Amino acid sequence: MAALFSTRPFSGRLLSLMVALLGLTCPAFSASADQDGGNNMQFPWDKMRLPRHVIPVHYDLLIHPNLTTLTFSGSAKIEITVTQQTSSVILHSKRLHITKAAIEAGGARSVQEVQVLEHQPFEQVALLAAEPLHPGHSYTVSISYSANLSESFHGFYKSTYRTQNGELRVLASTQFEPTAARMAFPCFDEPAFKARFSIKIRREPKHLALSNMPIVKTVNITSWLVEDHFDTSVKMSTYLVAFIVSDFKSVSKITSHGIKISVYTVPDKINQAVYALDAAVKLLDFYEDYFSIPYPLPKQDLAAIPDFQSGAMENWGLTTYRESALLYDPEKSSASSKLWTTMIIAHELAHQWFGNLVTMEWWNDLWLNEGFAKFMEFVSVSITHPELRVEDYFLGKCLDAMEVDALNSSHPVSTPVEDPAQILEMFDDVSYEKGSCILNMLRDYMTADVFKAGLVQYLQKYSYQNTKNEDLWNSMTNICPTVDTDENELQGDNFCRRNQLSSSSAHWTKRETLDVRAMMNTWTLQKGFPLVTVTVRGKNVHLQQEHYMKGVDSPSSTEYLWHIPLTYITSKSDTVQRFLMTTKTDVLILPEEVEWIKFNVGMNGYYIVHYEDDGWDHLISLLKENHTVISSNDRASLINNVFQLVRIRKLSISKAFDLTLYLKHETHIMPVFQGMNELIPIYKLMERRDMDDTANQLKEYIVNLFKDLIDKQSWNDEGSVSERMLKHSLLLFACVRGYQPCVDKAQEYFMKWQKSNGTLSLPTDVKTAVYAIGAQTSEGWDFLFSKYRLHSFNLEKHKIELALSLSRNNDKLQ
């Protein structure tokens, strides 16, 4: 799932204020009124996490939303077992009005009414039984309740959209991750309480209901009400339950493994669902083969929800998406939107194994879900959609993560969290991007085959269970690579007696055992990343590691130490050499003296490098003389590292500018993007400080660096996705910076488009540049704004927004 945001409801604050003003006391633990009039009793549980001795086995849910009154009623029958005698059942409930509750003993069929207490601060209710529940027996908890459809984007919430002729339509959809299933039904709302779910949904005949599983039968309740019965789910966590009641239409296909895939969307946009359907079929087939574990459900639905807060959500069998993350219009959508749509689908489908089949035990290890799904996007899309060249973007994700991770406010990938607000904070670049980057580093370290074998072993061993960090590392440590298996003496459990890696990576370290857990704990249990300083003295390469941190005068964390899988190439050998650095300082001895040495080959490692003495000068000379000697990722990483070192005053800005001079000859997307990402913010900073002369000189410098590349761009939609994305960025940059040939061309396009009243079809990749130039005049701005408000320009909204914001007219912006 993509990052979430939390909004506290106003009504709660208003109530507290009224209570304070009226001088009323508000009890911390409140009991609901029972038949005797009720009295305030002590809530029997005082922890945020639920007790472990009551375990849910199976939920029978009946949900009946009313899309007119925007309310819903429900009943939950939860089969439970207890492992120690207890007189109370504690579970989660949030903003649910419980009307009736009872506990039924399995064998004797005796039903006892129970008293219900609510503890709102922990979002818990307690069912107090007159007779104690005994271990070894099964019981059924029955609860009837009602609630309002949520007005936020989590829980069971109301969503709306307008049809092409302006009619407002209402639907109801769910978003339960991380802690909002309790807003739709009373439940044990923690990932480790896995259970099976049988769901029934009541709806009007004109609507359609979807849930995790296929419909088994539909029963007519009255002439205006039907009830859909869905098949029983596999064992899963509450946050993966989903249901939607809407008027959506769908398109479907069957994968080569026999799974039915359907894409659902509002009826007007069904023609934009075809690309996602084809991508999902390819990707689900890929994952079944890659993980060697069949997808366990008979269907996978992908639904585009008009109001959706995160990017998408991996509910098992019913993944939900923002419309812009799933729908693709070949006529109007940009090259980048095809790329991101494919990536987001790949992410959610990877979760069907990583997250759904094997789930983290608690939210502190959220990265086990999200880091993996992020990483698998790149693995899967590079094979299923090679034309998208996703490998061009992985590096960018790692550099984005490092921006956040270099701050003192960062956190370790695996961080203790307790309450729902802390849990929400875990959905960030550290869990997602850094998680995926350290996995990529581990794969590079172990080799792809050994890494994949470890993943498969982890998924097979822990299917339908919950895991912690170390379960993954243990699965990775005892791996038999596919080579030399006779030598490895397989034990009965398919583990190797000696952890001997294939010869290509055996020279990582002198020690025989590679301790994956010891290495990876240094990357997951402490925040930040290392800066490795390299000093070459003849054949000796002196290495030193420290914690890289921005904005801190004296590094506070001298005790930080990483196990860094260093890789390097030299002027004498392009064979990648490997060395595991586990101490503060170390020395490498080269076979011969070299002119230059480049560490972190391909930037597969999550660290940055400083070359002391004349180390940077040699690399700058190399780039000027023949930049293609090293890979485009290596060039992009040098641009990034040199500016990171300027930020902590290890290098002068003039050294960084020296390095950028070579960009005049650069044509590859990653180094060009990285150059722009480093240089553009510097002149923007100067503009803000009213250093106009310097800012203009720098603008001119950047335009001159990329002038040849800008002039080569065609004003059409031809080229690979990477080329088209590069074109989009370069032309937008050139036009906004006032590069005259670009401005003239964009003005010409804008005039024609305006004359056609917006009906002329502009090339997708140049639209933003054209709009940006059009927005510079008062009438152009007004014309764009009038289009922005139209339903037919929905797909263009973010492009027009950007163009409108680039106006120099303060009144318009106001």
Side-chain angles (χ1 to χ4, degrees):
M1 184 181 69
L4 287 162
F5 306 91
S6 168
T7 51
R8 179 172 289 174
F10 175 68
S11 55
R13 293 205 296 268
L14 192 63
L15 182 66
S16 311
L17 186 64
M18 286 168 67
V19 165
L21 289 172
L22 294 169
L24 300 171
T25 54
C26 202
F29 300 97
S30 65
S32 70
D34 61 8
Q35 271 73 22
D36 308 324
N39 52 4
N40 283 355
M41 292 174 61
Q42 185 70 23
F43 196 83
W45 186 250
D46 63 356
K47 295 182 179 65
M48 183 73 74
R49 302 276 296 272
L50 296 179
R52 298 269 150 247
H53 57 264
V54 178
I55 300 153
V57 178
H58 183 268
Y59 291 76
D60 259 311
L61 299 179
L62 170 62
I63 308 283
H64 180 190
N66 184 324
L67 299 188
T68 308
T69 61
L70 304 180
T71 57
F72 67 99
S73 57
S75 67
K77 287 189 170 183
I78 313 169
E79 188 190 323
I80 58 168
T81 59
V82 295
T83 56
Q84 66 185 58
Q85 186 170 308
T86 182
S87 294
S88 62
V89 174
I90 317 292
L91 67 168
H92 286 111
S93 169
K94 183 178 178 181
R95 299 191 201 137
L96 301 178
H97 176 59
I98 293 173
T99 50
K100 196 169 146 196
I103 296 177
E104 184 182 321
R109 310 316 285 168
S110 62
V111 178
Q112 47 171 324
E113 287 277 324
V114 294
Q115 195 174 10
V116 181
L117 300 186
E118 186 169 5
H119 180 36
Q120 285 180 355
F122 287 0
E123 302 174 356
Q124 292 171 357
V125 290
L127 309 182
L128 305 185
E131 302 286 321
L133 313 182
H134 298 287
H137 295 267
S138 73
Y139 298 89
T140 302
V141 172
S142 299
I143 302 173
S144 300
Y145 62 97
S146 62
N148 293 324
L149 284 174
S150 168
E151 289 287 337
S152 67
F153 293 114
H154 43 266
F156 190 26
Y157 72 92
K158 175 198 83 168
S159 175
T160 58
Y161 74 94
R162 286 197 184 274
T163 62
Q164 274 173 343
N165 41 27
E167 182 197 340
L168 187 72
R169 294 206 179 153
V170 180
L171 60 128
S173 183
T174 57
Q175 169 61 50
F176 292 160
E177 189 180 28
T179 58
R182 63 192 71 171
M183 293 171 70
F185 56 96
C187 57
F188 297 80
D189 200 9
E190 293 179 11
F193 286 114
K194 289 190 169 185
R196 290 188 161 82
F197 293 82
S198 301
I199 296 174
K200 299 183 182 111
I201 295 180
R202 290 189 176 169
R203 59 174 173 87
E204 290 180 69
K206 68 175 181 182
H207 285 133
L208 161 89
L210 297 171
S211 185
N212 306 79
M213 300 298 287
I215 290 181
V216 182
K217 64 173 177 178
T218 298
V219 180
N220 290 322
I221 306 289
T222 64
S223 61
W224 45 268
L225 192 64
V226 296
E227 185 175 282
D228 292 324
H229 296 213
F230 294 88
D231 210 346
T232 301
S233 76
V234 294
K235 203 171 153 194
M236 64 184 191
S237 306
T238 46
Y239 78 87
L240 294 170
V241 174
F243 30 88
I244 300 170
V245 177
S246 69
D247 64 344
F248 286 177
K249 292 272 179 281
S250 67
V251 287
S252 304
K253 273 190 179 175
I254 306 286
T255 70
S256 62
H257 294 100
I259 309 297
K260 184 181 181 183
I261 304 226
S262 306
V263 178
Y264 287 85
T265 177
V266 302
D268 290 345
K269 297 180 181 173
I270 194 65
N271 62 330
Q272 296 172 34
V274 177
Y275 179 76
L277 180 63
D278 291 338
V281 168
K282 275 188 191 174
L283 286 158
L284 201 72
D285 274 338
F286 168 83
Y287 286 132
E288 289 204 70
D289 294 335
Y290 184 89
F291 295 133
S292 308
I293 298 172
Y295 174 71
L297 309 186
K299 61 97 177 173
Q300 165 65 230
D301 296 335
L302 297 83
I305 311 295
D307 299 315
F308 198 75
Q309 188 161 28
S310 55
M313 177 61 208
E314 67 265 22
N315 319 300
W316 216 345
L318 175 55
T319 51
T320 47
Y321 302 77
R322 220 179 245 204
E323 286 189 334
S324 59
L326 190 67
L327 304 179
Y328 177 78
D329 183 337
E331 298 296 306
K332 291 182 181 168
S333 299
S334 63
S336 59
S337 76
K338 176 185 267 194
L339 175 70
W340 304 135
T341 296
T342 318
M343 300 290 269
I344 290 167
I345 295 168
H347 182 99
E348 303 314 326
L349 296 186
H351 271 311
Q352 309 301 299
W353 286 264
F354 271 102
N356 301 10
L357 184 68
V358 179
T359 313
M360 77 264 138
E361 199 164 284
W362 182 244
W363 299 104
N364 61 308
D365 281 331
L366 172 71
W367 86 276
L368 282 176
N369 282 15
E370 297 301 349
F372 260 105
K374 199 84 201 148
F375 173 69
M376 289 308 301
E377 287 177 24
F378 290 90
V379 174
S380 60
V381 176
S382 67
I383 290 169
T384 56
H385 297 76
E387 73 285 356
L388 295 179
R389 293 190 55 81
V390 287
E391 54 281 4
D392 287 346
Y393 312 102
F394 190 75
L395 175 62
K397 293 284 178 198
C398 300
L399 300 179
D400 289 347
M402 286 172 142
E403 280 294 308
V404 177
D405 207 18
L407 301 172
N408 199 20
S409 56
S410 185
H411 63 86
V413 167
S414 184
T415 302
V417 286
E418 275 296 304
D419 64 65
Q422 290 172 333
I423 292 166
L424 274 175
E425 286 172 10
M426 291 295 286
F427 290 81
D428 67 359
D429 273 1
V430 173
S431 295
Y432 285 69
E433 263 79 16
K434 181 179 180 177
S436 66
C437 296
I438 61 175
L439 288 170
N440 184 56
M441 177 169 70
L442 180 61
R443 181 172 72 156
D444 188 56
Y445 169 73
M446 297 180 78
T447 72
D449 288 348
V450 178
F451 178 79
K452 178 180 167 181
L455 288 195
V456 171
Q457 183 162 283
Y458 167 77
L459 288 172
Q460 288 176 339
K461 183 175 181 182
Y462 294 107
S463 288
Y464 303 104
Q465 296 176 57
N466 296 79
T467 56
K468 299 186 287 293
N469 241 348
E470 53 261 35
D471 297 322
L472 177 64
W473 308 142
N474 293 341
S475 300
M476 290 284 182
T477 300
N478 298 314
I479 282 299
C480 290
T482 46
V483 293
D484 304 335
T485 34
D486 54 326
E487 208 184 292
N488 279 317
E489 291 183 66
L490 286 186
Q491 291 183 336
D493 57 1
N494 202 32
F495 278 16
C496 303
R497 212 173 284 275
R498 293 209 315 276
N499 298 320
Q500 191 170 355
L501 281 185
S502 58
S503 56
S504 63
S505 56
H507 55 297
W508 268 110
T509 172
K510 304 281 186 291
R511 289 167 300 164
E512 196 168 87
T513 304
L514 284 173
D515 192 340
V516 174
R517 182 175 172 179
M519 171 182 153
M520 293 310 291
N521 279 347
T522 70
W523 296 96
T524 58
L525 302 182
Q526 54 189 5
K527 70 180 180 185
F529 57 88
L531 163 63
V532 177
T533 300
V534 176
T535 316
V536 180
R537 303 243 189 283
K539 288 190 211 173
N540 290 3
V541 182
H542 295 262
L543 304 167
Q544 181 187 342
Q545 62 160 297
E546 64 190 284
H547 183 184
Y548 176 89
M549 242 186 345
K550 278 193 293 206
V552 179
D553 285 338
S554 55
S556 56
S557 48
T558 45
E559 76 284 358
Y560 276 45
L561 182 73
W562 284 268
H563 289 193
I564 313 172
L566 296 173
T567 54
Y568 62 92
I569 50 174
T570 69
S571 55
K572 294 283 167 68
S573 168
D574 59 0
T575 304
V576 179
Q577 301 298 321
R578 297 165 187 274
F579 180 78
L580 186 66
M581 183 180 183
T582 57
T583 49
K584 269 273 180 259
T585 58
D586 214 329
V587 181
L588 267 174
I589 299 166
L590 301 173
E592 56 188 319
E593 290 194 19
V594 296
E595 280 165 51
W596 56 263
I597 186 165
K598 163 72 174 78
F599 274 87
N600 200 358
V601 182
M603 188 96 190
N604 281 319
Y606 191 75
Y607 59 94
I608 64 173
V609 187
H610 176 34
Y611 303 91
E612 281 272 21
D613 299 343
D614 53 4
W616 276 108
D617 294 334
H618 289 305
L619 288 165
I620 290 167
S621 301
L622 167 72
L623 290 174
K624 282 179 184 162
E625 286 156 28
N626 184 5
H627 65 278
T628 57
V629 169
I630 57 175
S631 72
S632 62
N633 270 9
D634 280 318
R635 303 191 302 266
S637 75
L638 286 175
I639 297 167
N640 169 269
N641 288 190
V642 81
F643 280 97
Q644 295 300 336
L645 293 163
V646 171
R647 285 186 182 98
I648 58 164
R649 304 189 186 131
K650 292 248 185 207
L651 278 180
S652 67
I653 187 105
S654 61
K655 186 75 77 187
F657 275 107
D658 264 359
L659 186 139
T660 61
L661 280 168
Y662 102 91
L663 283 166
K664 255 188 120 44
H665 309 290
E666 184 60 83
T667 57
H668 201 280
I669 186 167
M670 270 317 296
V672 172
F673 273 166
Q674 199 53 42
M676 291 167 80
N677 287 345
E678 301 294 355
L679 293 166
I680 290 173
I682 299 175
Y683 85 71
K684 283 188 174 168
L685 191 66
M686 290 170 176
E687 281 183 332
R688 278 193 212 112
R689 293 183 175 183
D690 296 327
M691 299 163 64
D692 290 342
D693 288 350
T694 322
N696 286 330
Q697 281 178 315
L698 183 50
K699 253 187 270 193
E700 209 167 301
Y701 173 75
I702 303 171
V703 170
N704 279 332
L705 273 189
F706 299 118
K707 181 177 171 302
D708 292 349
L709 203 51
I710 292 163
D711 291 341
K712 278 190 196 130
Q713 300 306 313
S714 63
W715 286 65
N716 57 32
D717 289 340
E718 283 164 12
S720 69
V721 172
S722 297
E723 287 163 352
R724 290 179 60 189
M725 286 172 71
L726 187 60
K727 178 196 304 178
H728 166 267
S729 297
L730 283 170
L731 293 180
L732 177 62
F733 162 75
C735 281
V736 172
R737 299 317 143 228
Y739 178 54
Q740 208 53 49
C742 185
V743 173
D744 295 344
K745 193 91 173 161
Q747 272 173 343
E748 185 190 325
Y749 266 106
F750 189 80
M751 300 304 281
K752 286 180 185 166
W753 180 70
Q754 195 174 359
K755 206 170 277 179
S756 76
N757 195 23
T759 57
L760 177 77
S761 180
L762 291 170
T764 314
D765 303 333
V766 305
K767 264 181 197 167
T768 317
V770 171
Y771 293 163
I773 290 301
Q776 297 310 306
T777 67
S778 184
E779 26 329 326
W781 200 93
D782 291 340
F783 182 74
L784 267 170
F785 192 51
S786 69
K787 295 302 171 204
Y788 176 74
R789 294 167 150 170
L790 299 179
H791 174 85
S792 54
F793 278 84
N794 267 358
L795 277 173
E796 310 288 298
K797 262 188 164 37
H798 64 287
K799 292 185 179 115
I800 299 178
E801 263 167 26
L802 175 64
L804 293 172
S805 74
L806 292 169
S807 168
R808 301 248 184 263
N809 183 329
N810 283 345
D811 293 341
K812 296 284 185 202
L813 294 176
Q814 198 62 46

